[in-house]
Amino acid sequence: MDDADAEDHFVRDIAPHLDATWRWGAKHPLLRVRPMTVENLHYVMELALPEGTFRSTGPVNISFFVNDHLLDRVRYDTSGTHTFEKAVPAGWLRAGEDAMLGAEIDKVYMDGRLPLGFIIVSMGLRNTTAIQEHR
């Protein structure tokens, strides 16, 4: 999330530049990436559920999407840092074309009128020969 061009890939629900290596994601963060291959790709996200917001929301479910396909839904019963990683079916992507990576949390913490879902440290696609990930 601290790559110089990271914001060029944000589609929605990802906080603008912060002086940090992470960004807040709201209810349904969405990121655009362009894979050069569709072979052996994994959707990878490093995320954090801060103790302060978790006290209010309790356990949360986060759904992970690739081009509007539900890849997985994970229940997080604890605050702290977590890593999600799962193989993406090659048929869901096209090499050299934009892919939309999304996540959706079932409960957000309301900070005034600002919904806070979870912290995104990194989010992207990874394969065994190259990393196409945005930090």
Side-chain angles (χ1 to χ4, degrees):
M1 290 290 117
D2 63 347
D3 284 353
D5 69 340
E7 289 185 36
D8 295 341
H9 301 273
F10 297 172
V11 176
R12 73 166 172 251
D13 280 359
I14 302 175
H17 180 71
L18 302 171
D19 289 327
T21 59
W22 53 271
R23 309 289 177 112
W24 271 108
K27 175 80 173 163
H28 191 227
L30 189 64
L31 179 78
R32 183 182 69 251
V33 297
R34 184 170 289 182
M36 295 298 110
T37 181
V38 297
E39 301 302 318
N40 303 315
L41 289 179
H42 286 219
Y43 180 147
V44 180
M45 182 186 287
E46 294 175 60
L47 63 104
L49 298 166
E51 178 62 35
T53 59
F54 196 81
R55 271 191 301 255
S56 175
T57 64
V60 295
N61 295 298
I62 301 179
S63 300
F64 298 90
F65 297 90
V66 177
N67 287 337
D68 292 326
H69 296 279
L70 176 63
L71 182 62
D72 203 354
R73 182 174 289 118
V74 179
R75 179 177 173 87
Y76 294 97
D77 292 320
T78 60
S79 62
T81 58
H82 303 276
T83 300
F84 170 81
E85 181 169 357
K86 188 164 185 174
V88 177
W92 291 8
L93 302 165
R94 290 182 181 247
E97 293 185 14
D98 286 348
M100 299 297 180
L101 303 181
E104 184 171 14
I105 190 167
D106 63 344
K107 296 179 273 185
V108 295
Y109 173 81
M110 294 304 292
D111 184 19
R113 292 177 47 186
L114 182 65
L116 301 176
F118 53 94
I119 290 174
I120 304 167
V121 178
S122 67
M123 179 179 184
L125 296 172
R126 178 180 298 161
N127 69 24
T128 56
T129 59
I131 296 177
Q132 298 168 17
E133 182 177 327
H134 286 280
R135 288 194 168 270

